[in-house]
Structures are given as structure tokens and as C-alpha cells.
Amino acid sequence: MIAREEKRSIITFEEEEHLYHYKGTKLSSVTSALKPYFPFDMEGQLYRSAYQVMFGKDEWKKIMAKTFKYDYKVDLDVMHEALEPMIDWDELLATRESIREEWRMSGVKGTEAHLIEENKLYAAGEFFNHRTKRMQPVIQKAKDYDNQSVALDYYEELEDGCYPELLVHTGWDAMQYVKDGEITDQDKYDEIMRDVLPGQSDIVCFETIGNERFVDIYDHKFMKREPKKYYNNKALPPLDKFKCRNDKIQKFECQLGTYMHSLVKMGFTPRHIDFIYYKDYNPEDKKIFKLNYRPDLIESILDDFNNRKQASSI
């Protein structure tokens, strides 16, 4: 779908561009905002993976121990110089590109698998909340885009149930300019919404118990290998003061935690955050990872992101 100027007060997402917009303004996403804190040397890892393929897993472990003293961050030039006599350079480059294509295709497979799970939910019409052990109705909102915000005031307008692929955002301050489903001050509302961080959560469940509206967030993660915690690999400031690791599990906690924080700020009570790991994209081979909602951590991320954004605009 081609991006176009949208007159309505909604955030839109176009899969083709993989971009969010609000009335023509491009928005950063929660995922992109987290990248600076979780650096990943893609080219370096491609070469290291290629070496491992060529030498074999067991031999590569021996080389890393003997030659590089288990320093997995060793400079690539140093690594190439030490290993060049032992390999065919053209074969190494070909192996590297083969792995790059494998990674690209894993993204394609992940997108396809997400769509399958979403359609399965809509077809079933109900969702078993594995944390509460209760069934909830699946709510399907009409959308004109690949995805879009579906309410002006999420707390008031979204009924209880399970929402697949719910677009959430950090524009909770804009809710003060919404009353009875109508915007009371369009300029102020737009000013806030043009500066929010949106994101899409695979499954969001709302449930009212007494006077509280609880929210659960569950996300699908399709990966070839199970994610692990790397305690010696630290996330960058300011996340280091929260003892955050630089690994996928920690990044997922920050990503889903930001979605949860946005909904909490809109009035909901936080309950559960999990991601469901599917081994090698197999929907039948899965494992649930329970995550923590850490509002102080999320506030620090959002403050730092806003400071970076203001500094870059000077």
C-alpha cells in the first residue's frame, strides 16, 4: 500500500515501506528507538558465522579458545589475519553471503508465520489466555491499512477481549484532548501524536475485574534457535544502570514493556508480559518466556530517546 496523506486522526502502518505515519509525518517505532541500546555488529557476526560453518562447530570452539582466548569481539582484521592461511577467501565470502540470505529469509518466514497465527486467532474467534486459564473473545476491528490505531481513547473505547496485532503508542498525553470519542482540541492532539513511538503487539488482552481493567501482552517470536541470556554482554547507557543485558530476551522485555507502559499510562492495570518462542518457525514446538514490566526502566528509555531527538534537531 502506498503511503499517503491521511486526514483522519489515526496512526497508520504500511508493510511495504515498514513505516508508521501520523497525518503524513513519519514516526519512529519502539523497535527502532531501542536499537542504539542493543548494538549488533551484523557484518562481524556474518564473518564469524561463516568461519564457524567452514571450520565446523567443534573446531571453531577450539580456535576461539586457543587463538582468540574466547574473545568473541576480537577485531575482524585481527581475525582475518590469523585465519587467512587456513581458509579459502572466496569460499568464506560465498559462505558469508549464503548466511546473509538465510537471515533475510528468516525475516520473511517470521512475517508469514505471524500472519498465519493472526488468521488462526480470527478464525477461532476466541483465545485461551494461558496465564489466566480463561477463554476470551477475539476482537477484530476494521482497518484500511496494513495496520492502524483503532481508537482515540483505548481505555474508554476498546472492549474486553483479545486483540491480534494491536497498534499501541506512547501518546497517552493526547487522551486529555479526547472526550466521548471526539477530539476537543485538534491542534494540541496532533502536536502530541506527531511525536509518539508506535509499535504492534501480536496479542493484547483486556479484562475487567471489579473496577480495574487489566492488560496482558503476548508476542510471537519465530527464531531458528532459542534465545539465551548473555550476562557478560551489557546494554548501552542508560540501560546499564538497570543491569540490562545486550541480548534478545532483554530487548524483548524492553519492547513489550514499552507497549505495556503505554497502556498503563492510558489507565490499564499491568498483569502479564510473555513472549512465545517458536523453534525453527514450528508453531507446534514452542516455549513461553515470562518477562517483567519495569516502569522505571521504560521511563529512562523514553527520556533518553526524547533527549537524543531534541539534541539531533538543534
Side-chain angles (χ1 to χ4, degrees), residues 55 74 86 126 128 148 164 211 260 266 268:
F55 284 109
V74 63
M86 306 164 64
E126 57 183 5
F128 178 71
Q148 65 187 62
N211 294 323
M260 176 65 82
M266 293 178 185
F268 295 95

Side-chain angles (χ1 to χ4, degrees), residues 149-207:
S149 52
V150 294
L152 295 174
D153 187 328
Y154 279 44
Y155 187 85
E156 294 295 337
E157 297 177 48
L158 297 186
E159 62 189 286
D160 283 2
C162 164
Y163 292 78
E165 289 295 323
L166 182 66
L167 192 155
V168 297
H169 58 79
T170 58
W172 55 79
D173 283 340
M175 301 301 102
Q176 64 186 299
Y177 302 113
V178 177
K179 185 176 181 180
D180 299 328
E182 299 290 337
I183 297 173
T184 59
D185 191 320
Q186 190 69 60
D187 290 341
K188 290 181 179 179
Y189 184 91
D190 289 347
E191 182 181 0
I192 294 172
M193 294 301 293
R194 285 195 171 98
D195 205 35
V196 303
L197 287 174
Q200 297 181 75
S201 183
D202 293 333
I203 301 173
V204 177
C205 298
F206 299 120
E207 183 180 34

Side-chain angles (χ1 to χ4, degrees), residues 68-115:
F68 304 114
K69 310 302 181 186
Y70 293 108
D71 181 8
Y72 287 91
K73 294 183 179 180
V74 63
D75 185 81
L76 274 180
D77 290 337
V78 174
M79 180 174 285
H80 292 330
E81 184 177 357
L83 299 178
E84 187 174 8
M86 306 164 64
I87 56 97
D88 179 275
W89 186 255
D90 289 337
E91 184 181 354
L92 176 70
L93 295 181
T95 304
R96 180 197 65 182
E97 292 310 303
S98 175
I99 295 171
R100 190 193 304 275
E101 177 61 15
E102 180 182 332
W103 288 2
R104 187 189 71 80
M105 285 305 300
S106 70
V108 174
K109 290 179 181 178
T111 299
E112 292 174 347
H114 272 88
L115 183 59

Side-chain angles (χ1 to χ4, degrees), residues 156-266:
E156 294 295 337
E157 297 177 48
L158 297 186
E159 62 189 286
D160 283 2
C162 164
Y163 292 78
E165 289 295 323
L166 182 66
L167 192 155
V168 297
H169 58 79
T170 58
W172 55 79
D173 283 340
M175 301 301 102
Q176 64 186 299
Y177 302 113
V178 177
K179 185 176 181 180
D180 299 328
E182 299 290 337
I183 297 173
T184 59
D185 191 320
Q186 190 69 60
D187 290 341
K188 290 181 179 179
Y189 184 91
D190 289 347
E191 182 181 0
I192 294 172
M193 294 301 293
R194 285 195 171 98
D195 205 35
V196 303
L197 287 174
Q200 297 181 75
S201 183
D202 293 333
I203 301 173
V204 177
C205 298
F206 299 120
E207 183 180 34
T208 302
I209 300 177
N211 294 323
E212 286 190 278
R213 297 203 67 195
F214 292 93
V215 56
D216 304 315
I217 292 180
Y218 307 126
D219 226 49
H220 303 302
K221 302 297 183 185
F222 296 89
M223 292 173 282
K224 192 168 185 177
R225 298 177 183 85
E226 181 176 329
K228 300 182 182 299
K229 296 179 179 180
Y230 294 98
Y231 292 98
N232 293 327
N233 200 6
K234 305 299 183 184
L236 297 186
L239 274 64
D240 57 334
K241 68 182 180 181
F242 295 95
K243 298 182 179 180
C244 287
R245 309 174 310 275
N246 183 2
D247 58 43
K248 288 183 177 179
I249 296 176
Q250 190 76 78
K251 186 175 181 180
F252 296 157
E253 185 169 88
C254 291
Q255 175 197 10
L256 303 185
T258 304
Y259 300 160
M260 176 65 82
H261 195 66
S262 300
L263 293 168
V264 168
K265 286 288 190 176
M266 293 178 185

